[in-house]
Amino acid sequence: MEKALKKYLPVFTFPTAIAFLIGFIVPFVMAVYLSFCSFTTVNDAKFVGISNYIQAIKDPVFLHSVGFSAIFTVVTVILINVLAFAVALCLTQKIKGTNLFRTVFFMPNLIGGIVLGYVWQLLFNGILAYFNRTLTFSSIYGFWGLVILLCWQQVGYMMILYIAGLQNIPGDMLEAAQVDGATGAQRLFKIIIPSVRPTIVICTFMSLTNGFKLFDQNLALTAGEPSHGTEMVALNIYNTFYGSTAAYRGVGQAKAVIFAVALALVGILQMRLTAGKEE
Amino acid sequence: MFQVENQSWLDNWGQYCYDLSGSFIAEHSTANCLSMEGVEVAAVPFANESYGIIYNVDLLNEYCGLENAVISSPEEINNFSVLKAVADDIQARKDELGVEGAFTSAGLDGSSNWRFTTHLANMPIYWELTDKGVTSATSLEGTHVENYKNLIDLYFTDSTCDPALLSGKTGDDSLAEFCDGMAVFYQNGTWAWTEDGDIADMNIAFLPLYTGVEGEENIGVCTGTGNYWCVNKNSSEEDIQATLDFLEWVISSDEGKETMAGKMAFNVPFDTFADVELANPLFTSANEYEAAGKTAVSWIGTESLPTENWKSELASALIEYSQGTADWSAVEKVFTEDFASEWASR
């Protein structure tokens, strides 16, 4: 058995390894290299050292977008996970139509971000029009608009993961607790939540990275208006790359590398913190 | 083959330009080709375009027939004060005329804000450069930003919707309002006309972009070209030759000409198109101004715009001005400070 495994190891890992190499390693290495260059087209780059990085961290709009993304991510991670867990709890009770509700709640996740952004823009502006305002009136409007949009889109998806986690809790454990006289709150905090900890780790990680990387919804809903007030990191990188002359492509690239490294660090930190007691 | 929009694009892409001098397309061009240091003909234009205020001729004539109308025929609009008088009067009597406003919504949403951040922005820069007798600039004094404000204010007040809602209005909204007869005036260019669009059934013509500058009675609409063909000099010799042959075919064969002038309804600036009739009534309207001895407004303003960033800064400033969260000085700053700093950072 072991021998066969060894023999076929390359056969099974090779395609994935190649895909990983072409789809991730090569672009990532190129991206890091280009962040030290000035370029118009990627295969015609000139090395300029760390000047792109200096310009990137001196850009006040970029720093604002980092702050905006960070606050946005904290708010959405909490809201999405609390709501998704609550909905999942409700839909694992013995009530009628749970399958229908699960499908309905999951569906927004199937719609692309750009479409969602425009649809919600129409909805929000339609309501705000009664007050003679639009989403761009202030960045507070845009912020909560984005929060509502992302929650609506992702709660259903995280709900499915939480449902899977909840269904894995052995029924007899809960029953035993009930027989022993545990209250609903005790069962929730002492049994259910500790049991779904692996799911919580995954869901917070996913909502964390999704929040930071948000792009389509940002572009379609507010496009960063008013005056970069709601511009998130990914959109800022895009605007830097395409909004100016070729000289700024390297700066956009440098921002992207800073962003990727920072996000990886935050992700690792989060995994460490939430998965701490898992073993 | 690749495309550039104007001279300033050659700063980035000129390093790839093959010298087109002596080629069929350069020999037969009737417009100004772009050149740069060391390259005699770097880019050849393939479509003339014009922009201004498009108006619904039938609706405006209907207005002229109303009692106490400010004008008795559309031709009387020859400067900003007449335009404003007419627009204000249409706005005040919109129910009588059966419209929702004089102008379509000046949508500041990303889908068409270039109508104001690129095209209308040509006017204040054009007038400032013309006053100074130059054709390009990397900094502005903003002497005519007040004129830009004149027309923007008119778009905002004499409109189908409240200015505070403009940031959510799209280019499609504006076109739909125009085609549905909800407004008389609509700022856009020759490209707004398409053979299979609702606009093809309408009776339309251009007004120049009057902004209240002395002597503006003598201008026509803004005419220029923002599309040039270039050939990549780093390609193999066979590929370059094949590209040149293809472009020759496009502007000389019946099929190529029919596609460019018929299907795409372009006004194509090559002498091989001399026998081709213009499908688009807006070109006819633009040409009438020139035939009447008016000077077409060149695109020196738009060609001087520093970056895409600058345009988004202007759009942001206009949005904040429209919803009342910033005053006009934000727009002035974009034309003066930001204009210079964007050029400096290039």
Side-chain angles (χ1 to χ4, degrees), chain B:
Chain B
M1 177 178 126
F2 62 100
Q3 251 180 265
V4 295
E5 267 185 32
N6 54 50
Q7 188 77 38
S8 75
W9 279 50
L10 295 181
D11 293 348
N12 278 342
W13 302 100
Q15 52 176 318
Y16 297 104
C17 283
Y18 175 82
D19 194 343
L20 293 163
S21 50
S23 68
F24 188 86
I25 52 170
E27 295 287 295
H28 290 267
S29 172
T30 55
N32 294 329
C33 300
L34 298 181
S35 58
M36 53 182 282
E37 217 188 315
V39 185
E40 204 187 321
V41 180
V44 178
F46 63 87
N48 281 332
E49 291 169 309
S50 300
Y51 55 81
I53 299 169
I54 303 173
Y55 66 94
N56 184 326
V57 177
D58 298 336
L59 263 181
L60 195 55
N61 278 328
E62 201 182 318
Y63 164 76
C64 294
L66 293 182
E67 211 176 317
N68 298 327
V70 182
I71 49 165
S72 54
S73 97
E75 285 75 44
E76 288 174 38
I77 305 178
N78 64 354
N79 60 32
F80 178 73
S81 56
V82 182
L83 176 67
K84 181 168 163 54
V86 171
D88 287 348
D89 198 37
I90 291 177
Q91 191 71 19
R93 301 161 76 177
K94 57 186 183 181
D95 296 330
E96 208 177 324
L97 194 60
V99 296
E100 311 239 327
F103 286 90
T104 61
S105 56
L108 295 174
D109 147 280
S111 60
S112 81
N113 60 17
W114 37 263
R115 292 190 287 147
F116 318 108
T117 61
T118 308
H119 300 146
L120 187 55
N122 184 54
M123 299 312 293
I125 305 174
Y126 169 83
W127 287 115
E128 182 170 337
L129 299 189
T130 308
D131 286 350
K132 290 179 182 159
V134 293
T135 55
S136 68
T138 53
S139 70
L140 295 176
E141 287 167 42
T143 45
H144 288 283
V145 179
E146 219 28 53
N147 301 103
Y148 182 74
K149 182 174 188 287
N150 283 342
L151 200 48
I152 286 285
D153 282 346
L154 198 62
Y155 289 171
F156 283 6
T157 51
D158 293 352
S159 163
T160 53
C161 79
D162 190 285
L165 304 179
L166 285 175
S167 77
K169 294 284 178 186
T170 65
D172 287 343
D173 288 336
S174 193
L175 179 65
E177 290 163 16
F178 186 68
C179 292
D180 288 346
M182 285 160 66
V184 182
F185 302 110
Y186 165 54
Q187 189 210 307
N188 211 344
T190 43
W191 53 88
W193 187 91
T194 48
E195 197 180 27
D196 47 5
D198 291 337
I199 204 166
D201 304 324
M202 297 173 69
N203 188 0
I204 53 174
F206 264 136
L207 281 176
L209 291 166
Y210 295 127
T211 53
V213 177
E214 209 169 304
E216 67 183 354
E217 287 81 3
N218 298 321
I219 61 165
V221 297
C222 302
T223 299
T225 174
N227 294 287
Y228 294 80
W229 281 325
C230 304
V231 174
N232 182 1
K233 71 172 178 195
N234 294 347
S235 309
S236 70
E237 233 164 81
E238 301 95 80
D239 283 347
I240 290 176
Q241 193 51 49
T243 309
L244 294 176
D245 292 345
F246 168 71
L247 291 176
E248 176 175 343
W249 175 83
V250 168
I251 65 161
S252 60
S253 71
D254 286 344
E255 194 184 344
K257 283 166 72 177
E258 166 52 29
T259 309
M260 294 285 283
K263 265 193 193 146
M264 300 180 183
F266 287 163
N267 179 2
V268 195
F270 293 103
D271 58 17
T272 51
F273 282 78
D275 55 334
V276 174
E277 250 182 68
L278 293 169
N280 184 339
L282 291 173
F283 285 125
T284 321
S285 174
N287 289 344
E288 277 165 11
Y289 283 97
E290 285 183 54
K294 316 257 176 171
T295 317
V297 174
S298 69
W299 292 10
I300 50 176
T302 50
E303 285 161 7
S304 296
L305 299 183
T307 56
E308 289 302 310
N309 266 341
W310 184 86
K311 296 177 192 174
S312 8
E313 295 303 332
L314 180 55
S316 296
L318 286 174
I319 286 177
E320 298 234 30
Y321 175 66
S322 73
Q323 61 193 17
T325 48
D327 59 19
W328 186 255
S329 61
V331 178
E332 273 172 359
K333 177 180 164 284
V334 177
F335 272 101
T336 52
E337 262 178 59
D338 294 357
F339 190 90
S341 66
E342 281 290 320
W343 266 109
S345 72
R346 275 181 65 137

Side-chain angles (χ1 to χ4, degrees), chain A residues 59-62 64-65 68 134-140 142 218 222-232 235-236 239, chain B residues 108 113 167 309-327 329-331 333-334 338:
Chain A
D59 180 359
V61 181
F62 177 60
H64 176 271
S65 71
F68 186 89
T134 61
L135 261 185
T136 61
F137 185 76
S138 106
S139 47
I140 308 280
N218 191 195
T222 66
E225 296 297 343
S227 307
H228 305 291
T230 62
E231 189 172 270
M232 299 180 71
L235 185 60
N236 178 270
N239 285 340
Chain B
L108 295 174
N113 60 17
S167 77
N309 266 341
W310 184 86
K311 296 177 192 174
S312 8
E313 295 303 332
L314 180 55
S316 296
L318 286 174
I319 286 177
E320 298 234 30
Y321 175 66
S322 73
Q323 61 193 17
T325 48
D327 59 19
S329 61
V331 178
K333 177 180 164 284
V334 177
D338 294 357

